[in-house]
Every structure is written in C-alpha cells, then in structure tokens.
C-alpha cells in the first residue's frame, strides 16, 4: 500500500480564503493527509484527513504555548530542537521571538512531507524547513504577492530571485501568473498550472433556470473594496450607460466597508440610488444574489484567475471581465463571456450595453457554453487528480 | 489681537500654506497661539498641546480628573458657561464632560479669535469660542468638505450654527459647504492660497517648444501625495496613450499608493519613462520646476493646489483637471488648460494638442500664467486679506 503523503497547506489563517478552503476540502483523502497551521477561527471539517494544529492569540497564551511546544519537541524530537537552536536565526530574524516560535514549533512537532505555501511573501520565513529539515517546499503562485507586490518592493523581489529557483515545485493558478513568476526565477519545468477548484455540487443548487433578464437590468460585482478591484472603472462605465439607459441597477457584494474613493465617486456621479452595496453574511447568500442577477462585472486591474467569474459561469450568470491576469484563459470572447481591456471604462460601457441587448437565445447559448467550460476544465475529479499528481511528483524529487 | 489657531498637528515643512498664514498674522502685529494634538518641534510661535485620549481607561480617568480640577480652579465661570452652552445644544452629560476635557487647554486662554484651520478640528469644540468670549472662525479645505461629510452625515451642523466667519480657499469649496448646510448669511470670505513669488520665479529663459521633432523629450512633472484623490493613475494611463511623443514623467511625493502606481507603470510598460521620486523637501523643489516643460495636476478633487501656482509662477505650462478649486487656479486656454477629470483619453489629446501649438501662442499662455500668479496669488495680497479677515470691527457675537 502506498504511503500517505502529509501535506501542510499554509495560508497563515484558519479558515483560509474560500478558494484555498475549497482546495483543502478537495484533496484530503486516503492518499493525502492535510495539516493546517495558523491562527484559528471557527471552522469544522468533516474530512478526517484534515488535521488542525493551531496557534493561539494573545501574549500570555503564546508564551505558554511556546513552552509547551518546546517541551514536546525536546521529549519527542530532540534532534530537531538541537538543529533549531543551532540555527537560531530562523526565529530571531523577524519580529517577536515568541511569535516566530509559536508559528515554527507546531510545524516541527508535526513535520509534514510537503509544506505548501499559499502566499509567496511567506516563503522567506519558511524556507528554512527545506534547508535545515529537508521538508519539500511548494509554492502557489497567486494574487498580489506575484502580480504586483514585488514591483514596489526591491527587497521582496530580491528574495523571490534567490528563493524561487530553489523551491521544489510550484503551482500556478494561471499561465499568465507563471509568466510573471518566471521573471523572478520560477521554472516552467517545475510548475504545474492547475486552475481553482469549485464546489460544483453546491453551485449546482444555485443554477439559474430563467435566462430572461430583470427590469431594471441587474449588474453585479463581487469583491472587497480595494484599488486592485478597479471599481472606479465599472462605476464610470455604469454612470455613462445610465445617461442613455435609465433602467439599470448595479449591486456590489463586499466583505469590507466602502472605500473613500468609491464613496466619493458614487456621490460625485449622483448614483446613490442606483448603486447598492451589500454585505451578505454567508456564501450561500452570495450565490443566491448571483442567481438573481443578470450580468457579472469583473473590473479588476489585476487578478490571477478570479474565482467569482468561475462561480458565475457555473451558476449561469453571464460574465464581463477585464482582460487582466489569466482571465483570457477562461473567457472565450462572445462564446462563453466577454472581456474588455483592463482600465478602459469606455470599452466596458459598450460591453454592458451589448450584454443588456443580447437576445434570450444568445444569452442562453453563452450561459450554456460557460457551464460546459467549467464542467470540462474545473470539475473536482480533474482538479483533485492534478493536485495528487502534483504532490506525488514533489515527493519523488531527489529520490 | 490674540489669535488661537487649532490644528491636528503643528505644520511640517510641506505645509507652507499654514506656516505662511502664521507668519502673516505675526507680521500684522497679532499674537498667535497654536493648539495642536502633536507638536513636531515647531518654534515659530507658542504651541499648546491639546489633551489626548489614552487607550488605558484608568489613566484616562486620572487625566480627566486632573484637567477638570485645574480648569475649574483657573476659570470656573468659563467652565460653567461651556457646560451650559453644551446642555442647551442637547449634548448628553457624558458628551459635555468629554468635550470639556478635549477643549480644556483652549478654555483657559484669553483669546480674541479662535480659528479652526481645518473645519474638522472644530468638531466637539463648537462652544469653546463663545465660552471664552472669542470670535470663532473656520477654514474650509479640500478633504474636510469633499470627503469627510460623505462618511459623517450632518457632521458640521453644530459648527455652522456657532461660527462667526468662514474662510474658504476657493469659491467652489464655499459653494459645496453651502450644500452641506453652511448658511448663506454667515460671514464668509474667499482668500486664495498664496506662494512666495520671489522664490518661484521664472529665472530661466525657456527655449522654444519643438516637440514636433520627435527626438526631443518633454519633461512632465506632478507634485502630489501618492493618493487616489490626486488622479495619478489616470495621468499615467493618459501618458500611455500618447502617440509619437517622447516624454519623461516625474512624480514628486510619497504616499500609501506607491504599489498601485508601480503596477500601472509596469502594466503600461512605462518603467523607463515614469519615475516616482518620493518626497523632496519643499526647499529643494525649484530645480524640478525649472527642468519641467509641462506640469499636470489631474486631481479628482482639490481645494486649490499650491503646486499648480508654483508651476505657473515658474513659467511651466500647466494642465489641470476640472476638479473644484483647480478650475479657479487656472484659466482655461489663457493661463493653462483644464481637462474633464477621469478622462485619460482627453488628457492625452490635450497634451498632444499643446505640443503641436505654435511657440508664439504657447509663450502667451506661459506669460499670462506668470503674470496672473505674481499679481493675484502673492503673499502680500494674502496678508492684506487675512488682516481684514480678523480685523473686522463690526462683529457681534452670536
């Protein structure tokens, strides 16, 4: 019987963002144990292959926790403790020593075969696991950490250049993001492109069955208020469209409070009555609103692959996305959705009008194509086998 | 006269408009006291640090007790009046005593004028001036009027009722304040910002523009914090649309949106042409204007913008957005150009248009701008207006 692989999926917090949670739930099974390290919120997993080793919060709790973990390490893995003491710099180089140890010690007490880092900025901190303890390090190339943070931070770019070539294997969420990572020394040969996994079972229950748009026409965006989401462009486009077509409505689903920038723009363009901002308290409510909408707009200036676009396609909500990041890998223009040049609100306005004026048959065709794409390329069986293969290849390195 | 100016913190070097205001008042023979939450070693006048709120509950209780004890001993009637006015305004018991603590350092002073240099500094201090028999003034500036009320509805209603005179740095800002409840009958005066026109002088005889020859490089400059309200992202988008124009764009200023701007610069392949040089002390800024051919201030909102005045005074051709105060700062087609905001395509076309203009026409605009700034926005003129702002005798306390 094949030995089970122990994979730590590290995002820093438990539960992780939705797209990482989907991955965690998907891949833990009889072949793979999933270890989660980090500060814990409220989360329960039905899957017994998922094990949580959480770090408490609060100064006193952390001190107590560190002493307990040190004692455990001393009793069960004295060699690991000896190596840690010899390489004391790994826990003294950044911030508080206790805080660093509270992150490191649980990992040493439950050392995985593979340490899968979700956010590249954490790589410099955790790289010692490979250098000192021989743990395989894999990195997911996703989000701002690859897309733009290193542009504005020379020391981060330098760290990437040193560490990326030495990472055991990489997972890229799109072809485009791999191109970016290659500039920092990521190797194409050591990288697997695996798209995000979706909970298709759940999404199926929210599938649209009525293709006729509402009146007023309901545009929707989903995402936090952050400049990278490019809401200023969608609001400008919406405002211009409103001048010629008054029967439209724009709803933004977010999990944070509105930014001054967008608040100002909505007031400036007198759109208070036409743009609605909502904060649903569950993912189910988000999907329900998506089902009740007529078109999803993704105005971002940068993305890896937007999960909300994938979910919309699975639900049957027509999509207009900017051409940022890997979005063109998903959207086939006019076939399963539409895209416009990122930051071009004039082009977006034209597309909004185009989607509004689609005949029912055309809407249905685009929706069907979207669903087909998702079912063919992002079904859970496929993604799961891609990840299993990915981890298997990682463990075989150096054997 | 003894004038108290209320600020969040003492002015830094970059806030020249505040420093010059203090100097102007001192030159006019007034005694100026600065009330600020934070003192950054400011030595130009007496500074009184305002009471701060401690995050530790018991420490705060001790601080409040001491403040109450001191002020009741020093000026019991002022305290009585202040609490009475607060009660009349319908403030709760707790609010009244909290506000007494916050205003305790001002309440013990004997002032003729209490002037809040930003209207947000007047919040929760609306009854202080009346309690010490001083007149109350407020200054309207960009953020306070353009953004703050959007998040805090009706926040200035108490101020409008108590203020004796309002100073605005532009007419458009004043109009917007009226939208938020400023009474038309309240005394109000627009005093434009001013610059040291001797320092920002067009010393260099500029060579003629010959940008039609594409070998030439046009130097473009913006002085602004890296913040969304400055519209820098739109400028960079516009520059990417320029056809057959060689340019170098320099942004002076630091701020929270460095990452955002670096992304757009990289995405639009402008890394070699656009430089974010960070903060440059105001005293070292003149050479940048001397080098620049074109100055762009494409803000989404501005109270007025001193940097635009400095650029014009230095003879740099200036393009601005139509945001509030900027359209009073520049006269479109006469002293510079105004482009509707959030329209990078229009901005790009305007830059190309300027480049294609005849030298003669361009120089007329340049000279008009220099003349207008030298005549209308100099410190002497501002001094005269500030003197009259505080010297008015016909006041009756409300």
């Amino acid at each position: 019987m094949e030995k089970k692989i122990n994979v730590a999926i590290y995002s820093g917090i438990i539960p992780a963002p939705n797209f990482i949670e989907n991955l965690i739930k998907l891949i833990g099974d009889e072949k793979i144990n999933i270890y989660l390290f980090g500060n814990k919120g409220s989360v329960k997993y039905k899957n017994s292959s998922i094990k949580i080793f959480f770090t408490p919060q609060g100064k006193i709790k952390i001190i107590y926790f560190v002493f307990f973990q040190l004692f455990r390490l001393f009793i069960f893995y004295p060699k690991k403790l000896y190596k840690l003491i010899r390489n004391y710099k790994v826990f003294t180089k950044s911030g508080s020593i206790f805080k660093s140890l509270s992150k490191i010690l649980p990992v040493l007490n439950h050392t995985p075969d593979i340490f899968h880092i979700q956010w590249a900025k954490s790589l410099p901190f955790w790289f010692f696991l490979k250098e000192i303890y021989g743990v395989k390090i894999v990195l997911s190339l996703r989000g701002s950490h690859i897309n733009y943070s290193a542009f504005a931070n020379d020391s981060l770019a330098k760290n990437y250049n040193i560490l990326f070539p030495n990472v055991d294997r990489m997972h890229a969420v799109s072809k485009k993001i791999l191109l970016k990572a290659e500039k920092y020394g990521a190797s194409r040969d050591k990288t697997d492109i695996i798209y995000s996994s979706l909970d298709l079972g759940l999404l199926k229950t929210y599938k649209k069955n009525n293709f006729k748009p509402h009146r007023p026409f309901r545009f929707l965006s989903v995402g936090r208020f952050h400049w990278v989401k490019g809401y200023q462009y969608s609001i400008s486009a919406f405002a211009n469209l409103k001048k010629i077509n008054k029967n439209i409505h724009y709803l933004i689903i977010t999990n944070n409070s509105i930014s001054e920038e967008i608040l100002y723009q909505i007031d400036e363009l007198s759109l208070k009555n036409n743009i609605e901002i909502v904060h649903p308290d569950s993912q189910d409510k988000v999907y329900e609103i998506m089902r009740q909408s007529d078109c999803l707009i993704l105005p971002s200036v940068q993305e890896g692959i937007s999960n909300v676009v994938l979910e919309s396609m699975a639900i049957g909500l027509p999509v207009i996305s900017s051409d940022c990041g890997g979005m063109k890998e998903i959207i086939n223009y006019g076939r399963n959705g539409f895209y416009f040049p990122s930051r071009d609100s004039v082009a977006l306005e034209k597309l909004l009008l185009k989607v509004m004026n689609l005949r029912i048959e055309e809407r249905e065709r685009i929706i069907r194509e979207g669903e087909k794409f998702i079912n063919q390329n992002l079904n859970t069986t496929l993604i799961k086998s891609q990840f299993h293969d990915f981890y298997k290849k990682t463990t075989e390195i150096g054997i | 006269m003894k004038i108290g100016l209320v600020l969040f913190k003492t002015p830094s070097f970059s806030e020249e408009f505040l420093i010059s205001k203090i100097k102007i008042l001192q030159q006019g023979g007034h005694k100026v006291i600065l009330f600020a939450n934070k003192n950054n070693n400011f030595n130009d006048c007496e500074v009184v640090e305002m009471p701060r709120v401690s995050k530790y509950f018991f420490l705060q209780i001790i601080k409040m007790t001491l403040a109450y004890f001191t002020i009741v001993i020093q000026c019991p009637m002022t305290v009585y009046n202040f609490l009475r006015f607060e009660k009349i305004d319908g403030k709760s018991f707790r609010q009244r005593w909290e506000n007494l603590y916050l205003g305790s350092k001002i309440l013990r002073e004997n002032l003729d004028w209490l002037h809040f240099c930003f209207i947000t500094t007047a919040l929760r201090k609306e009854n202080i001036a009346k309690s010490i028999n001083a007149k109350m003034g407020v200054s309207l500036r960009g953020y306070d009027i353009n953004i703050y009320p959007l998040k805090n509805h009706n926040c200035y209603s108490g101020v409008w009722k108590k203020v004796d005179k309002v100073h605005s740095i532009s007419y458009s800002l004043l109009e917007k304040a009226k939208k938020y409840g400023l009474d038309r009958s309240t005394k109000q005066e627009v005093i434009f910002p001013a610059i040291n026109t001797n320092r920002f002088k067009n010393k260099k005889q500029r060579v003629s523009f010959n940008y039609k020859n594409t070998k030439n490089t046009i130097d473009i400059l913006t002085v602004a914090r890296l913040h969304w309200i400055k519209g820098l992202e739109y400028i960079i988008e516009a520059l990417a649309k320029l056809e057959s124009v060689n340019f170098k764009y320099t942004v002076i200023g630091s701020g929270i949106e460095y990452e955002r701007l670096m992304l757009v610069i990289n995405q639009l392949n402008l890394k070699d042409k656009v430089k974010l040089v960070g903060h440059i002390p105001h005293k070292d800024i003149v050479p940048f204007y001397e080098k620049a051919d074109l100055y762009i201030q494409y803000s989404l909102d501005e109270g007025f913008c001193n940097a635009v005045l400095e650029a014009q005074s230095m003879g740099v051709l200036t393009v601005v957005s139509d945001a509030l105060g900027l359209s009073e700062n520049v006269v479109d087609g006469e002293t510079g150009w105004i482009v509707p905001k959030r329209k990078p395509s229009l901005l790009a076309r305007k830059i190309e248009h300027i480049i294609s203009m005849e030298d003669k026409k361009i120089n007329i605009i340049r000279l008009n701008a220099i003349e207008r700034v030298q005549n209308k926005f100099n410190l002497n003129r501002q001094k005269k207006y500030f003197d009259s702002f505080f010297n008015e005798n016909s006041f009756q306390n409300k």
Side-chain angles (χ1 to χ4, degrees):
Chain A
M1 196 179 142
E2 233 176 287
K3 187 185 167 260
K4 254 187 151 182
I5 306 171
N6 297 323
V7 180
I9 295 187
Y10 183 80
S11 77
I13 47 164
I14 306 168
N18 212 20
F19 44 92
I20 299 175
E21 281 300 303
N22 284 342
L23 170 71
I24 291 166
K25 288 173 194 162
L26 179 71
I27 54 178
D29 62 4
E30 67 282 357
K31 288 182 186 163
I32 291 182
N33 278 328
I34 300 292
Y35 290 179
L36 302 178
F37 299 98
N39 300 120
K40 188 181 171 228
S42 70
V43 65
K44 276 182 188 167
Y45 297 102
K46 289 173 194 162
N47 189 335
S48 60
S49 300
I50 302 171
K51 296 183 172 61
I52 302 175
F53 305 102
F54 72 92
T55 299
Q57 283 172 307
K59 278 181 193 170
I60 304 292
K61 282 184 185 170
I62 283 180
I63 292 170
Y64 170 79
F65 179 76
V66 165
F67 280 115
F68 173 75
Q69 292 289 329
L70 277 172
F71 178 71
R72 196 178 188 282
L73 198 63
F74 175 70
I75 298 294
F76 295 107
Y77 309 104
K79 270 188 186 171
K80 286 186 194 172
L81 181 60
Y82 174 68
K83 280 184 185 175
L84 183 66
I85 293 166
R86 280 194 63 180
N87 297 281
Y88 63 91
K89 278 189 181 164
V90 300
F91 60 88
T92 53
K93 66 184 173 190
S94 61
S96 141
I97 291 175
F98 273 99
K99 220 171 176 181
S100 297
L101 282 173
S102 72
K103 288 198 268 182
I104 292 168
L105 292 171
V107 179
L108 295 186
N109 273 316
H110 309 277
T111 310
D113 302 311
I114 297 171
F115 195 77
H116 185 165
I117 297 169
Q118 296 299 313
W119 304 108
K121 278 186 194 171
S122 312
L123 186 60
F125 183 86
W126 290 109
F127 204 74
F128 75 93
L129 286 175
K130 177 180 167 67
E131 292 171 321
I132 302 170
Y133 297 99
V135 176
K136 301 274 191 267
I137 296 279
V138 300
L139 174 69
S140 278
L141 302 171
R142 59 168 95 241
S144 61
H145 294 229
I146 303 298
N147 283 325
Y148 56 82
S149 290
F151 289 153
N153 185 337
D154 289 341
S155 81
L156 186 66
K158 202 176 152 193
N159 270 329
Y160 284 181
N161 277 314
I162 295 167
L163 299 177
F164 276 17
N166 297 311
V167 167
D168 290 296
R169 210 158 177 87
M170 288 191 179
H171 151 232
V173 294
S174 71
K175 291 171 194 158
K176 194 76 185 277
I177 209 161
L178 172 58
L179 285 177
K180 286 201 172 142
E182 278 181 319
K183 289 179 189 161
Y184 302 112
S187 157
R188 190 169 283 253
D189 298 336
K190 287 202 288 181
T191 305
D192 288 8
I193 295 160
I194 308 174
Y195 292 128
S196 302
S197 67
L198 298 176
D199 191 342
L200 289 179
L202 177 65
L203 288 165
K204 218 178 206 173
T205 60
Y206 291 96
K207 210 162 232 179
K208 268 173 100 70
N209 38 30
N210 183 0
F211 305 117
K212 199 179 164 194
H214 298 83
R215 285 181 70 81
F217 194 92
R218 296 179 190 172
F219 290 106
L220 173 74
S221 285
V222 183
R224 70 205 154 109
F225 283 108
H226 186 277
W227 58 263
V228 83
K229 298 296 173 190
Y231 284 127
Q232 70 269 35
Y233 302 105
S234 59
I235 291 173
S236 286
F238 179 82
N240 286 335
L241 185 61
K242 183 98 191 83
K243 286 176 195 161
I244 53 167
N245 191 328
K246 299 210 179 301
N247 217 1
I248 52 176
H249 183 264
Y250 185 19
L251 191 134
I252 298 174
I253 294 180
T254 179
N255 61 2
N256 61 351
S257 54
I258 185 167
S259 63
E260 282 183 356
E261 179 175 6
I262 299 305
L263 186 65
Y264 175 80
Q265 191 182 13
I266 290 174
D267 178 75
E268 183 190 25
L269 300 171
S270 305
L271 292 171
K272 268 184 213 163
N273 298 327
N274 307 98
I275 295 183
E276 196 182 338
I277 290 152
V278 293
H279 304 80
D281 53 13
S282 71
Q283 193 61 36
D284 294 282
K285 285 183 186 163
V286 175
Y287 292 150
E288 184 53 42
I289 296 172
M290 287 166 84
R291 174 159 64 177
Q292 299 296 330
S293 301
D294 299 315
C295 174
L296 180 102
I297 310 171
L298 182 92
S300 301
V301 294
Q302 190 60 269
E303 291 279 352
I305 294 263
S306 161
N307 250 46
V308 73
V309 165
L310 305 177
E311 288 165 345
S312 296
M313 287 164 85
I315 285 174
L317 177 63
V319 170
I320 297 176
S321 165
S322 78
D323 63 357
C324 69
M327 297 316 297
K328 278 161 85 172
E329 293 167 40
I330 300 295
I331 297 174
N332 187 338
Y333 187 95
R335 191 177 170 89
N336 62 11
F338 300 91
Y339 55 78
F340 65 97
S342 166
R343 303 176 187 276
D344 189 342
S345 56
V346 178
L348 173 57
E349 183 197 336
K350 285 178 190 159
L351 271 186
L352 298 182
L353 193 63
K354 186 182 173 99
V355 171
M356 277 183 76
N357 293 333
L358 283 176
R359 284 182 287 114
I360 296 281
E361 311 85 73
E362 284 176 298
R363 274 180 76 81
E364 190 176 349
R365 181 184 56 75
I366 286 165
I367 288 168
R368 296 283 180 229
E369 286 293 334
E371 288 169 355
K372 197 170 137 195
F373 178 87
I374 296 292
N375 289 333
Q376 281 176 354
N377 298 283
L378 290 120
N379 68 69
T380 43
T381 319
L382 176 70
I383 303 288
K384 189 172 176 171
S385 81
Q386 284 174 330
F387 267 109
H388 276 221
D389 190 38
F390 172 71
Y391 290 132
K392 198 162 173 246
K393 278 190 266 181
T394 309
T395 53
E396 283 162 3
I397 298 167
I399 293 176
Chain B
M1 273 199 294
K2 202 170 171 184
I3 299 171
L5 300 179
V6 187
L7 291 163
F8 289 110
K9 58 178 178 60
T10 51
S12 58
F13 287 115
S14 63
E15 291 169 307
E16 212 189 23
F17 63 100
L18 287 172
I19 297 170
S20 74
K21 186 171 178 173
I22 292 163
K23 283 185 181 156
I24 284 168
L25 292 175
Q26 286 172 327
Q27 283 162 12
H30 305 298
K31 182 174 184 209
V32 178
I33 303 179
L34 219 58
F35 297 97
N37 293 333
K38 203 176 164 195
N39 185 1
N40 302 321
N41 298 322
F42 188 75
N43 296 319
D44 290 4
C45 68
E46 184 186 341
V47 178
V48 176
E49 276 197 58
M50 301 278 274
R52 286 194 223 167
V53 179
S54 169
K55 60 181 177 180
Y56 303 107
F57 178 74
F58 288 107
L59 183 60
Q60 183 58 28
I61 294 291
I62 294 167
K63 283 169 79 174
M64 287 172 95
T65 311
L66 282 174
Y68 296 147
F69 183 73
T70 317
I71 195 167
V72 167
I73 298 282
Q74 280 182 335
C75 40
M77 279 315 289
T78 308
V79 173
Y80 171 74
N81 283 334
F82 178 78
L83 292 172
R84 190 166 58 90
F85 294 143
E86 290 273 296
K87 193 176 179 186
I88 293 168
D89 286 350
K91 305 263 172 72
S92 68
F93 179 83
R94 186 180 167 164
Q95 279 176 328
R96 276 178 253 160
W97 285 87
E98 280 176 359
N99 292 352
L100 177 65
Y101 170 73
L102 293 173
S104 58
K105 289 282 176 76
I106 314 177
L107 282 164
R108 68 182 65 162
E109 297 288 340
N110 186 18
L111 302 171
D112 297 297
W113 269 95
L114 181 62
H115 189 83
F116 295 92
C117 295
F118 297 85
I119 187 172
T120 38
T121 57
L123 297 174
R124 304 188 75 174
K125 299 186 183 71
E126 296 91 345
N127 283 312
I128 293 180
K130 197 174 172 185
S131 306
I132 59 173
N133 287 318
K135 288 161 194 160
M136 176 177 168
V138 295
S139 284
L140 307 182
R141 299 187 188 279
Y143 176 86
D144 294 0
I145 295 299
N146 294 323
I147 310 291
Y148 193 80
L150 294 176
K151 297 192 293 184
N152 304 276
H153 296 289
N154 245 353
C155 56
Y156 299 136
S157 58
V159 179
W160 302 139
K161 282 180 202 155
K162 309 284 172 172
V163 68
D164 291 297
K165 197 166 185 180
V166 172
H167 156 233
S168 172
I169 54 171
S170 67
Y171 286 102
S172 32
L173 213 52
L174 197 59
E175 283 309 308
K176 202 158 182 189
K178 286 171 190 165
K179 185 181 142 191
Y180 289 121
L182 169 63
D183 198 312
R184 287 180 189 276
S185 64
T186 304
K187 283 185 184 286
Q188 44 202 252
E189 199 168 328
V190 173
I191 304 175
F192 290 125
I195 58 164
N196 184 340
T197 44
N198 289 325
R199 211 176 130 221
F200 295 97
K201 214 169 197 171
N202 181 26
K203 292 168 200 155
K204 192 176 84 173
Q205 187 61 47
R206 286 177 186 277
V207 290
S208 66
F209 273 175
N210 187 16
Y211 300 125
K212 284 160 234 168
N213 177 351
T214 51
K215 280 179 189 164
N216 284 353
T217 300
I218 174 170
D219 270 302
I220 304 173
L221 177 69
T222 297
V223 181
R225 264 156 342 116
L226 310 185
H227 188 272
W228 64 266
I229 208 157
K230 299 296 178 184
L232 296 166
E233 207 174 9
Y234 290 110
I235 299 179
I236 295 165
E237 285 169 27
L239 295 178
K241 292 176 194 291
L242 290 180
E243 284 160 18
S244 48
V245 178
N246 282 332
F247 68 88
K248 275 198 173 149
Y249 179 46
T250 305
V251 181
I252 295 176
S254 56
I256 52 169
E257 300 214 325
Y258 181 72
E259 209 174 52
R260 178 177 185 171
L261 295 171
M262 286 307 290
L263 175 69
V264 64
I265 291 166
N266 276 278
Q267 280 184 333
L268 302 177
N269 297 320
L270 293 174
K271 228 174 157 184
D272 299 330
K273 294 181 170 185
V274 179
K275 294 284 172 238
L276 308 179
V277 297
H279 173 72
I280 301 282
H282 196 244
K283 62 181 172 57
D284 300 330
I285 219 161
V286 169
F288 287 90
Y289 287 122
E290 281 177 342
K291 201 176 165 229
D293 301 301
L294 189 65
Y295 183 89
I296 304 179
Q297 192 77 39
Y298 200 53
S299 302
L300 304 181
D301 222 316
E302 279 289 350
F304 200 79
C305 193
N306 275 28
V308 171
L309 290 179
E310 290 165 1
Q312 291 180 91
S313 183
M314 295 282 298
V316 187
L317 296 173
T318 305
V319 182
V320 298
S321 75
D322 59 354
L324 281 185
L326 286 175
S327 42
E328 293 173 52
N329 196 320
V330 167
V331 183
D332 189 29
E334 284 182 36
T335 67
W337 295 269
I338 298 176
V339 180
K341 57 184 164 182
R342 296 184 195 277
K343 307 268 187 213
S345 299
L346 290 185
L347 179 59
R349 298 294 83 79
K350 183 60 79 180
I351 295 169
E352 283 168 350
H353 166 74
I354 294 166
I355 288 168
S356 68
M357 280 173 77
E358 288 172 26
D359 289 351
K360 200 176 148 194
K361 283 185 183 168
I362 279 202
N363 279 323
I364 290 172
I365 287 180
R366 192 206 312 279
L367 292 172
N368 285 346
I370 294 170
E371 194 186 341
R372 182 165 176 263
V373 174
Q374 300 270 335
N375 292 336
K376 214 174 166 184
F377 303 103
N378 62 65
L379 292 173
N380 282 336
R381 195 178 154 101
Q382 194 190 40
K383 177 175 179 293
K384 201 173 85 188
Y385 281 112
F386 269 124
D387 271 342
S388 87
F389 185 91
F390 290 112
N391 270 331
E392 212 163 320
N393 294 320
S394 58
F395 263 106
Q396 288 178 342
N397 270 340
K398 284 184 179 178

